[in-house]
Amino acid sequence: MREITIPISDDVIRELKVGDPVALNGVMITGRDAVHKWMIETFIKKTRAPQGDDLAVYEALKPVLAGGVIYHCGPVVSGLETKEYKFVAAGPTTSIREEPYQADVMKHFNVKGVIGKGGMGPKTLKGCQETPGVYFHAIGGAATFIAQSVTRVLGVHKLDFGVPEAIWVIEVKDLPVVVTMDSHGQSLHQVIEEQSGKVLQDLLTK
Amino acid sequence: MRDLTHEILELIRRTSSDLPKDVEERLKAAVEKETPGSAARGALETILKNVELSRKNSSPICQDTGTPIFYVKYPAGWSTLQLKKQIRAALADATKRSYMRPNSVDAVSDKNTGNNLGGDDFPYIHFEEIEGDELTIELMLKGGGCENVGAQYSMPDNRLGAGRDLAGVRKAVLDAVHKAQGQGCAPGILGVAIGGDHGSGYIKSKEVLYDKIGARNPDPKLAALEEQLTREANEMGIGPMGFGGKTTVIDTKIIGLSRVPASYFVTVSYMCWAYRRRKMTVRGEEVIYD
Ligand code: SF4
């Protein structure tokens, strides 16, 4: 298993190939549906004017995301009342919901890695080639196990989106993932879908 | 009437953090079938480590603690009104203790209620009066990722060349498994309802998931189809997490319903490997967890 530290350089990204197991280390953020929609509308397409703390959060996120990683995750967090946050359960959520947004978010912030489950589509695969970046697949449902690799919660933004949808800034140690979409246009998901699709066609004619 | 809030809290804790043995055993068997060093095998190994850790720490097996679905079977003398209040109180408490993620979002305002209590539909509670003197409460936590890949087919389905018979049912279910790849956290378990209407099809295809793994439909034709579907779904090679591999589906459960002559639905509920379902039985003073 290859150990990689965030921020990740373009050279390291280009070395990564589909199927590579990786242990991730460093600071990343969680972000899922509400966050991606908010980023696109407020800062990328600018269809909505920044409100409240939007601009301050944007400035705080930029350095974390440059060369950084977004984790599609809606965690269970303890210590909500005392603000001594701790990740209790933190597996990946289904990534394909961010397909309309992901490539633009990657390019805008120079995000090098997206962690999730289920893989993403052609738009993100192209985004991975252009940024460049990769898609890391975490083990869906392995929530307690993954939470153990979250060593610290450094902060939280947009808690008003709700605990699962907020932007949690976390430090991880040896978070286990597999590269399933690389910066060379390869996608394990595409391959498996095609292969299994052929078997399905055979089965349907039986 | 006895207050069961505390016992229901324990049911929730167990359901969320302690994967039933029948599921764990199947996952252990699945590891052995995957090639050493493969991503599929790595995924299953991580899953099993996670199962052990969650049990030890009383922490959620998966952070998506899903839609809580309660089935309450009660003998005469219990108040469903009181039971409902107790279930809701236990669920809010379980959320505070991080056994459950706050998972109830108002679909109109987008606000998360923070305590897993939504309207009348969240948690979902089904009450049924029964003979005898034992009260049972079953709880299933149905995650969103696998719920999203549930599918309903109105037969005949011309695209699949599937008609209104068991051969057609087979084709619809295989198509649903192919479409679910990558999204439902395979290996999964299939609940299939044949017949019914749009609503009852989905309800019954979930209800069968309360059964033990390996329990077969008493109708030999359906039992054979259950086994065939598990085998053929695995031939597709989608594998754990969709990484490619031998085990895509652990078990299939089919239930036949009544239908009106004009309709023939095939409904598939997909349950992820985090197949969280537990039961408590109240027998006199005793409370037994399975
Ligand atoms: S599909 Fe199941 S295992 Fe996967 S994230 Fe959802 S609840 Fe967890």
Side-chain angles (χ1 to χ4, degrees):
Chain A
M1 190 175 290
R2 177 164 179 181
E3 284 187 24
I4 289 181
T5 304
I6 305 163
I8 312 174
S9 71
D10 286 0
D11 289 343
V12 169
I13 286 297
R14 290 208 181 85
E15 282 165 27
L16 291 175
K17 301 267 156 53
V18 157
D20 288 351
V22 169
L24 286 170
N25 292 281
V27 177
M28 61 174 70
I29 66 161
T30 66
R32 43 185 286 172
D33 311 63
V35 174
H36 283 81
K37 187 163 180 277
W38 168 80
M39 284 175 167
I40 291 282
E41 288 178 352
T42 323
F43 307 110
I44 300 173
K45 297 229 165 95
K46 299 199 166 88
T47 51
R48 165 186 174 277
Q51 299 160 16
D53 65 352
D54 283 354
L55 285 172
V57 175
Y58 179 63
E59 290 306 322
L61 289 180
K62 275 203 284 194
V64 183
L65 286 178
V69 171
I70 296 182
Y71 182 17
H72 296 158
C73 169
V76 178
V77 184
S78 68
L80 291 172
E81 275 155 16
T82 56
K83 298 211 165 105
E84 282 169 28
Y85 304 120
K86 191 166 176 290
F87 270 34
V88 178
T93 189
T94 304
S95 299
I96 195 71
R97 293 194 305 268
E98 316 320 332
E99 178 67 6
Y101 316 120
Q102 197 66 67
D104 294 330
V105 168
M106 287 176 87
K107 281 185 251 177
H108 184 85
F109 291 99
N110 193 26
V111 172
K112 295 285 126 193
V114 171
I115 312 174
K117 71 168 168 107
M120 302 188 71
K123 199 175 163 200
T124 305
L125 191 58
K126 197 153 164 272
C128 284
Q129 286 175 275
E130 289 168 3
T131 310
V134 296
Y135 179 84
F136 295 114
H137 202 299
I139 306 305
T144 299
F145 185 78
I146 295 175
Q148 285 214 328
S149 32
V150 178
T151 45
R152 270 197 304 163
V153 178
L154 301 173
V156 58
H157 304 290
K158 295 287 170 194
L159 198 48
D160 51 319
F161 288 170
V163 171
E165 294 281 351
I167 304 171
W168 295 92
V169 185
I170 55 175
E171 184 185 74
V172 304
K173 188 167 180 337
D174 295 333
L175 193 150
V177 292
V178 177
V179 178
T180 57
M181 292 162 67
D182 63 25
S183 61
H184 309 284
Q186 296 302 309
S187 162
L188 178 67
H189 308 285
Q190 225 171 33
V191 172
I192 301 287
E193 183 164 356
E194 279 168 23
Q195 285 174 353
S196 59
K198 278 192 203 126
V199 181
L200 175 67
Q201 287 316 316
D202 282 353
L203 288 169
L204 289 183
T205 53
K206 270 191 202 162
Chain B
M1 196 192 93
R2 181 165 171 194
D3 184 355
L4 290 173
T5 311
H6 194 73
E7 287 73 14
I8 299 169
L9 173 67
E10 174 60 8
L11 175 71
I12 299 170
R13 186 192 68 79
R14 287 179 187 236
T15 311
S16 177
S17 65
D18 188 355
L19 193 73
K21 281 284 179 216
D22 60 339
V23 186
E24 194 180 1
E25 264 152 37
R26 292 298 179 109
L27 292 170
K28 280 186 178 153
V31 177
E32 299 311 321
K33 294 189 190 135
E34 302 295 348
T35 320
S38 64
R41 190 170 175 125
L44 287 168
E45 285 168 351
T46 304
I47 284 172
L48 285 168
K49 276 187 217 155
N50 180 65
V51 166
E52 224 171 275
L53 262 180
S54 324
R55 188 176 284 142
K56 203 174 91 205
N57 298 353
S58 285
S59 59
I61 297 167
C62 179
Q63 78 290 336
D64 184 357
T65 51
T67 305
I69 306 173
F70 289 91
Y71 268 68
V72 184
K73 298 193 179 141
Y74 62 99
W78 291 85
S79 153
T80 57
L81 198 70
Q82 291 304 322
L83 282 167
K84 186 171 171 185
K85 279 190 190 150
Q86 293 171 11
I87 287 174
R88 289 178 74 93
L91 191 57
D93 195 5
T95 312
K96 228 185 246 164
R97 292 166 191 256
S98 303
Y99 301 153
M100 297 287 291
R101 181 176 75 179
N103 237 13
S104 162
V105 179
D106 184 300
V108 179
S109 71
D110 257 359
K111 282 278 171 259
N112 190 319
T113 62
N115 59 4
N116 264 314
L117 303 182
D120 225 22
D121 54 318
F122 203 105
Y124 181 85
I125 311 175
H126 171 91
F127 285 108
E128 194 179 322
E129 184 170 333
I130 51 162
E131 311 260 2
D133 48 20
E134 276 180 15
L135 168 95
T136 60
I137 304 181
E138 284 181 281
L139 168 60
M140 184 186 302
L141 300 177
K142 181 80 171 60
C146 61
E147 182 65 6
N148 288 348
V149 295
Q152 194 162 53
Y153 296 79
S154 177
M155 311 299 268
D157 186 307
N158 294 331
R159 188 181 60 85
L160 298 172
R164 294 182 150 198
D165 49 24
L166 292 187
V169 171
R170 168 182 166 270
K171 291 182 180 180
V173 175
L174 290 173
D175 183 65
V177 173
H178 183 256
K179 290 220 178 81
Q181 69 181 284
Q183 295 180 51
C185 287
I189 297 90
L190 306 173
V192 180
I194 307 172
D197 60 21
H198 277 298
S200 63
Y202 272 119
I203 288 175
K204 292 289 175 184
S205 67
K206 281 208 188 79
E207 242 176 65
V208 287
L209 293 171
Y210 279 110
D211 278 354
K212 282 267 173 283
I213 287 192
R216 292 278 71 91
N217 190 296
D219 178 341
K221 279 202 301 292
L222 293 182
L225 185 57
E226 289 175 334
E227 281 176 7
Q228 181 183 4
L229 280 169
T230 303
R231 197 173 59 242
E232 291 182 333
N234 288 333
E235 281 173 24
M236 279 191 263
I238 295 163
M241 289 300 127
F243 287 169
K246 304 268 179 333
T247 307
T248 307
V249 167
I250 291 175
D251 200 14
T252 306
K253 300 182 174 303
I254 303 178
I255 182 169
L257 308 175
S258 306
R259 61 180 180 90
V260 294
S263 301
Y264 192 117
F265 292 109
V266 177
T267 311
V268 184
S269 277
Y270 189 101
M271 175 60 100
C272 55
W273 69 260
Y275 185 7
R276 293 155 288 178
R277 42 126 166 73
R278 290 260 167 202
K279 181 179 181 178
M280 65 180 255
T281 306
V282 182
R283 189 181 297 151
E285 284 304 299
E286 236 186 331
V287 177
I288 303 146
Y289 297 94
D290 70 346

